[in-house]
Amino acid sequence: MERFWRFSIFFLLFLVTFARNPCRQRVYPDTATGAAIGCVCNASYCDDFDDVGNITKDAFVLFLSSRDGNRMDRIDYHFTAFPNVSDTITIDFGKRFQKVLGFGGAITDSVGVNLRKLSQATSDQLINQYYGKAGIGYRLTRTVVASADFSTHVYSYNDVDQDFDMKNFNLTQEDYLYKIPYIKQALSLSKANGIDLKLFCTAWAPPGWMKSNGKMEGGAKMKGSTDGPYYKAYATYYKRFFEEYHKEGIDYWGMTPTNEPLEGRNADYKFQVVNFEAEDERDFIKYHLGPMLQENDFTKNISLLIGDENRYAFPDFADTILGDPMAAPYVSGFAYHWYADEGIPPDVIDQTIQKHPGYINLYTEACAGWHDYELSPVMGDWGRADLYAHNIIEDMSHGVQGWVDWNLVLDSQGGPNWVQNFVDAPIIANFTADEFIKQPMFYILAHFSKFVLPDYTRIGFVSPDLNLEGLAFLSTDQTKRVVMLHNQDSQNGHSYTLQDTGNTLRFANLYLPPSSFTTLIYNM
Ligand SMILES: *[C@@H]1O[C@H](CO)[C@@H](O)[C@H](O)[C@H]1NC(C)=O
Ligand SMILES: *[C@@H]1O[C@H](CO)[C@@H](O)[C@H](O)[C@H]1NC(C)=O
Ligand SMILES: *[C@@H]1O[C@H](CO)[C@@H](O)[C@H](O)[C@H]1NC(C)=O
Ligand SMILES: *[C@@H]1O[C@H](CO)[C@@H](O)[C@H](O)[C@H]1NC(C)=O
Ligand SMILES: *[C@@H]1O[C@H](CO)[C@@H](O)[C@H](O)[C@H]1NC(C)=O
Ligand SMILES: *[C@@H]1O[C@H](CO)[C@@H](O)[C@H](O)[C@H]1NC(C)=O
């Protein structure tokens, strides 16, 4: 009888605390690990996870995802007076670092093309995963000004040669079909959740007639001198873009002067690009873009982030642009991409921050499966979740304040992409079944976006070994701790004891499964 009651009480608590839709697993063949698990969602079903709720002072909560199938699974524990093991993770409450800006992804033409191929209900379900009530609460969203490689073709907003005043500027079908509706949906869902979604944008290239090679694709500089009419026209083009989007009710928080400006050194570059050396970007900002953004109320507070380029642009872009007293006042921060991170250590971020403190440091693009030798989407692959986890932890350990993923959703080929530059994404759409699959990468982003909120402060984290890497954050009201734990060991689980310098009399005893990612939350 006693057992029955204990069981019933447990079961009731279970229902109340743990009511959720679990991941509907689809297991894909994976020669490396044997298990590659995707979570399948459709118009009527998608996995979600529990709210954190109130955590009592002696309790802590874990959310666990793992290669072997956990997906944001909640486990409730209590602190104990004794450590189980000697491997101690130390959370150093006294050490304070950067404040968090947020996490997000991008709405490209390809994202819109894919969403439109799903039924309305499935498309809504998908958008809800990122912005809806049961979603992961993205705070940042990047969009593309005109076309990128993740478009079905090349286009600009004004192909009329020498129309420096942008008299023939016009948005395109792509804006009305693939971008504006989804940006609006993301904004309104966010708003309903009390989230002020920050939008930022950039162009991959100006219209071809402004470039010395006469076309949007292929590496080349713009025509003429940096204080001349072509550079000015590119700024006017942006100004007109913001005006047209403003008419649609869409205002931007931020922008970058142009996407990946150093790739434009390569004349054979396959897709839209323009070469801005740091000096070109500096002059573009000081002569044209900076002053022009001041002309409209809805653009004058735009956060201008420089670079939008791999680590190798730093600290040079920051030094060169901020070194000019006429350009510097227009700049709010630095935008990094992850595509050279394997070869360039994060020291360049440290140097940039050390030399130029007080600026925003944001990762603005990353995706897996981009190397030529890799498959584009790999269904259910945990290795790519590891890459995301490791990179976010590394970047934030070096002062980065937020991390923005690339396409919200791609098709099973990793596109569409007009130059077949196919890559992976956290969500892959499956049109034949009107469903979508949430990849392991999605859950890494979920762990961060859901629990590490804007204005949280990073605090000290010390790992006892090389298998485990992590981060710790302090909530805005200084009460809550959010700890991220990445067990990189693919063979073994590990037991740890976690101790917080804010209260050294209690211990959190943890077991972290092989290849897993855990968020731990507690109060002081
Ligand atoms: C959607 O998924 C749920 C849960 O797996 C399933 O019961 C339902 O039949 C699916 N609906 C369709 C239309 O496939
Ligand atoms: C959680 O705490 C808040 C603030 O102390 C309180 O208003 C709320 O009722 C609590 N919720 C639950 C479910 O206990
Ligand atoms: C601009 O684009 C819109 C939408 O495609 C179209 O309705 C309108 O006619 C275009 N205007 C010009 C001047 O081309
Ligand atoms: C721009 O920023 C200033 C200073 O913070 C503020 O007073 C103003 O309301 C902002 N304007 C808009 C349109 O947000
Ligand atoms: C897409 O759905 C079809 C059934 O329509 C199924 O055979 C296929 O395995 C699914 N693709 C993925 C990547 O899950
Ligand atoms: C820690 O030790 C207690 C008591 O022996 C045990 O019940 C618990 O499962 C252990 N926890 C971990 C995470 O190993």
Side-chain angles (χ1 to χ4, degrees), residues 54 58 87 115 132 168 182 191 206 212 217 227 245 266 318 320 445 456 498 518:
N54 293 342
D58 60 344
D87 288 339
L115 287 167
N168 298 286
Y182 300 113
K191 198 167 172 206
S212 56
E217 61 273 31
D227 60 355
Y245 267 57
N266 173 7
T320 303
L445 291 165
Y456 279 22
L498 180 138
T518 302

Side-chain angles (χ1 to χ4, degrees), residues 64-68 70 85 87 89 464-468 485-497 510-518:
L64 169 69
S65 299
S66 70
R67 178 196 61 204
D68 296 337
N70 299 96
V85 291
D87 288 339
I89 300 163
D465 63 48
L466 292 173
N467 288 317
L468 180 77
L485 301 165
H486 182 211
N487 180 14
Q488 303 180 91
D489 188 338
S490 61
Q491 302 300 316
N492 302 299
H494 291 278
S495 291
Y496 295 99
T497 285
L510 315 164
Y511 171 75
L512 306 180
S515 293
S516 65
F517 197 90
T518 302

Side-chain angles (χ1 to χ4, degrees), residues 169-236:
F169 183 97
N170 202 2
L171 297 182
T172 61
Q173 281 284 92
E174 279 77 6
D175 294 278
Y176 297 108
L177 294 177
Y178 305 139
K179 287 187 283 209
I180 289 170
Y182 300 113
I183 295 168
K184 283 184 174 170
Q185 198 177 359
L187 284 170
S188 74
L189 286 167
S190 302
K191 198 167 172 206
N193 293 322
I195 292 173
D196 182 17
L197 184 66
K198 289 181 162 69
L199 298 174
F200 67 102
C201 64
T202 198
W204 262 230
W209 58 266
M210 298 184 197
K211 282 177 64 192
S212 56
N213 68 348
K215 54 184 187 176
M216 288 182 85
E217 61 273 31
K221 291 212 182 208
M222 295 192 60
K223 286 183 188 155
S225 60
T226 54
D227 60 355
Y230 291 95
Y231 281 84
K232 184 177 182 200
Y234 195 17
T236 310

Side-chain angles (χ1 to χ4, degrees), residues 473-493:
F473 299 92
L474 178 64
S475 67
T476 320
D477 66 4
Q478 315 264 309
T479 58
K480 195 158 69 184
R481 310 282 195 277
V482 177
V483 181
M484 315 304 267
L485 301 165
H486 182 211
N487 180 14
Q488 303 180 91
D489 188 338
S490 61
Q491 302 300 316
N492 302 299

Side-chain angles (χ1 to χ4, degrees), residues 102-106 138-142 403-406 408 445 449:
F103 301 87
Y138 266 0
R139 307 294 165 136
L140 292 162
T141 295
R142 186 181 188 217
W403 205 88
V404 180
D405 182 46
W406 194 203
L408 296 184
L445 291 165
S449 185

Side-chain angles (χ1 to χ4, degrees), residues 283-341:
D283 291 357
F284 179 56
I285 291 169
K286 95 169 152 181
Y287 294 131
H288 315 291
L289 184 63
M292 225 175 261
L293 290 174
Q294 297 306 307
E295 288 173 17
N296 279 317
D297 260 0
F298 51 88
T299 53
K300 73 174 171 215
N301 289 352
I302 279 186
S303 298
L304 188 58
L305 308 180
I306 57 174
D308 217 5
E309 177 55 278
N310 295 323
R311 281 182 186 165
Y312 43 66
F314 294 95
D316 179 44
F317 265 61
D319 293 347
T320 303
I321 298 171
L322 297 179
D324 184 323
M326 281 178 62
Y330 297 117
V331 176
S332 298
F334 316 125
Y336 307 85
H337 291 192
W338 91 332
Y339 305 99
D341 289 4

Side-chain angles (χ1 to χ4, degrees), residues 21-289:
N21 289 332
C23 162
R24 186 160 68 92
Q25 294 190 353
R26 182 170 295 159
V27 180
Y28 295 93
D30 185 318
T31 46
T33 62
I37 297 166
C39 298
V40 185
C41 299
N42 63 19
S44 62
Y45 189 91
C46 199
D47 55 288
D48 57 15
F49 39 86
D50 298 298
D51 273 341
V52 179
N54 293 342
I55 304 172
T56 57
K57 276 227 178 302
D58 60 344
F60 64 91
V61 175
L62 295 187
F63 286 88
L64 169 69
S65 299
S66 70
R67 178 196 61 204
D68 296 337
N70 299 96
R71 294 291 183 268
M72 302 285 279
D73 294 340
R74 178 179 172 141
I75 313 168
D76 284 58
Y77 285 116
H78 282 92
F79 281 101
T80 59
F82 299 99
N84 271 25
V85 291
S86 59
D87 288 339
T88 305
I89 300 163
T90 305
I91 305 306
D92 192 346
F93 170 62
K95 285 217 174 84
R96 305 290 165 93
F97 303 102
Q98 80 273 23
K99 281 208 158 75
V100 172
L101 191 62
F103 301 87
I107 297 177
T108 60
D109 287 345
S110 301
V111 166
V113 169
N114 291 328
L115 287 167
R116 278 181 66 93
K117 281 195 193 168
L118 294 166
S119 67
Q120 184 67 48
T122 302
S123 164
D124 290 346
Q125 179 88 279
L126 198 159
I127 289 280
N128 271 309
Q129 295 309 302
Y130 290 113
Y131 305 100
K133 195 164 158 37
I136 64 175
Y138 266 0
R139 307 294 165 136
L140 292 162
T141 295
R142 186 181 188 217
T143 78
V144 180
V145 175
S147 62
D149 54 330
F150 281 95
S151 296
T152 55
H153 64 116
V154 181
Y155 62 87
S156 86
Y157 293 137
N158 185 356
D159 287 329
V160 180
D161 192 14
Q162 311 231 349
D163 179 13
F164 296 112
D165 298 331
M166 293 293 132
K167 290 202 177 71
N168 298 286
F169 183 97
N170 202 2
L171 297 182
T172 61
Q173 281 284 92
E174 279 77 6
D175 294 278
Y176 297 108
L177 294 177
Y178 305 139
K179 287 187 283 209
I180 289 170
Y182 300 113
I183 295 168
K184 283 184 174 170
Q185 198 177 359
L187 284 170
S188 74
L189 286 167
S190 302
K191 198 167 172 206
N193 293 322
I195 292 173
D196 182 17
L197 184 66
K198 289 181 162 69
L199 298 174
F200 67 102
C201 64
T202 198
W204 262 230
W209 58 266
M210 298 184 197
K211 282 177 64 192
S212 56
N213 68 348
K215 54 184 187 176
M216 288 182 85
E217 61 273 31
K221 291 212 182 208
M222 295 192 60
K223 286 183 188 155
S225 60
T226 54
D227 60 355
Y230 291 95
Y231 281 84
K232 184 177 182 200
Y234 195 17
T236 310
Y237 179 81
Y238 273 119
K239 180 174 178 244
R240 291 287 301 113
F241 167 81
F242 289 123
E243 286 168 352
E244 291 305 313
Y245 267 57
H246 179 71
K247 286 181 200 159
E248 295 291 331
I250 298 170
D251 287 332
Y252 279 80
W253 160 83
M255 72 172 296
T256 76
T258 204
N259 180 64
E260 297 190 348
L262 295 181
E263 309 322 303
R265 287 174 177 172
N266 173 7
D268 298 325
Y269 200 68
K270 284 189 298 182
F271 53 91
Q272 300 94 316
V273 74
V274 62
N275 179 214
F276 276 12
E277 294 300 319
E279 293 75 11
D280 303 322
E281 187 154 311
R282 174 196 66 200
D283 291 357
F284 179 56
I285 291 169
K286 95 169 152 181
Y287 294 131
H288 315 291
L289 184 63

